[in-house]
Amino acid sequence: MDERTSGAQGPRLLTRRVGRVLVVHFDNPPHHFLDEPMSVELDRLTRRLARDTSVGAVVFAGQGSAYPHLHVPDVLDAVRLAPRRVPYPVALAILRVGSVLTRSRLVDRVVRATPLRGVLLAPRLYATFRRMNRTDKVFVAAINGTAVAMGWVFALACDVRVAADGTYAIGLPESTVGVLAGAGGARRTLDAIGTSRALELLLEGRMLTPRQAADLGLVHHLVPRDDLEARAVSIAQRLATRGPRVIRELKRVAYQGPGAHRTTAAFRAEGAALLTTMTDRRAVRAITAFHRRLTAPAPTTAHALETAWLNTPDGPDSRSDR
C-alpha cells in the first residue's frame, strides 16, 4: 500500500516497499512538477534513507507521461529577488552560505517561511543529490516519459537509469534560454560522455530520444513501456543484494575518487555558474516567455512541455554575458 511522506497539504512522494527495495512515485498532480515543497520532501526522504539499513535500493518512478520537470514559477520567484545579475564570485559565496544553511533543518524551515524560500531550492537539491551519491543505497530512475531539464537532471543523479522505449525527449535544453543546466546536470553529462560530446550537446541544448540517449550510454536499460516499473524494480532487487559496504565504496570511487569531477567544489562552481546565468535579466525574460508558452493556451502536457522547449528562440542576446 502506498504511503505519503508528508501531511495533508502540498506535494507528496508515494512510497511502497518491495522487499529491500523502496519504490517512490512523484505525486504532485496534475503535472507532478518538482517544486520547492517537493524538494523539501526529497531532502527528508534521503536523510531517512541514509539511516535505514532495511533498504538496499530505491526506484524513483514518474507518473503520467513525464519525469518531474522543475516548477518554473519557483525559479522565477527566486531569481527575481536579485535586482541585477549576480556576478560569479558573489554567486559562489551565496552557494557556500546556502550549503551551510541547508545542513540545518531548523534554519531551512525558518527560511522556508519567508520570501527567500526559493533561494535554497538549488542548494537543497545539490545536497540531496550528493547524499544519494554517498549513501549505501542504489538509486534507479524509472523514466516513464519526457525527461528534460530537471527531469533529466534528477535521472542523472541516480546510479542506474531505465527508460521506456518511445519517441519522447530526453535532455538539457536550458542553454536555449541562456541558463546553465545546473543541480549537477552539466557536470554529470560531462563526466558521463566526455567533454567533447557533452559540451556540444549542452551548448546546442539538444534533446535526444531514449534510444539515442542509450546509444550514448546515458541510459543503461531501454525497455517496453508496459514493463518499465517491473524491470526497474527487478534491477533494484538484484542490486539491493550487494553488501552496503561495497555499494558505498564503489560509489565513493565513482563519484569522489581520483579522476572523478563530482566533488563538492565542482558542484559548487556549477551552482555559481547557474546562479549568475539565471539572474541575467535577458535570461529571466526568456524563462518567463518559456513559462507563458508552457501554460497557454492549453493545459500543460508532456507534449506541451517538449513543444515549449522546441519553440524556444536561440536564447538571450550573447552580449548579456559581457
Side-chain angles (χ1 to χ4, degrees), residues 15-61:
T15 65
R16 63 185 175 90
R17 287 289 295 269
V18 183
R20 284 178 48 77
V21 174
L22 183 71
V23 181
V24 183
H25 283 92
F26 298 100
D27 186 48
N28 185 17
H31 310 302
H32 310 293
F33 285 146
L34 199 167
D35 57 8
E36 192 270 340
M38 186 178 281
S39 76
V40 174
E41 291 197 35
L42 283 166
D43 176 75
R44 291 172 178 167
L45 176 65
T46 55
R47 286 178 189 267
R48 288 201 300 270
L49 283 169
R51 302 187 299 270
D52 190 343
T53 59
S54 69
V55 174
V58 181
V59 173
F60 279 110

Side-chain angles (χ1 to χ4, degrees), residues 121-134:
L121 177 60
R124 188 183 299 116
L125 287 172
Y126 273 108
T128 295
F129 296 158
R130 284 199 305 271
R131 197 175 299 119
M132 289 165 59
N133 291 161
R134 292 175 177 177

Side-chain angles (χ1 to χ4, degrees), residues 250-275:
L250 278 171
K251 290 171 71 166
R252 189 198 305 274
V253 171
Y255 298 130
Q256 302 171 56
H261 300 103
R262 304 175 200 186
T263 62
T264 299
F267 281 135
R268 190 171 291 151
E270 184 201 68
L274 169 63
L275 181 56

Side-chain angles (χ1 to χ4, degrees), residues 26 108 122 129 152 195 225 279:
F26 298 100
D108 188 89
F129 296 158
W152 184 236
T195 300
R225 182 177 295 276
T279 53

Side-chain angles (χ1 to χ4, degrees), residues 69 77 156 188 195 228 307:
H69 191 279
D77 287 346
L156 286 172
R188 294 175 195 278
T195 300
L228 174 64
T307 302

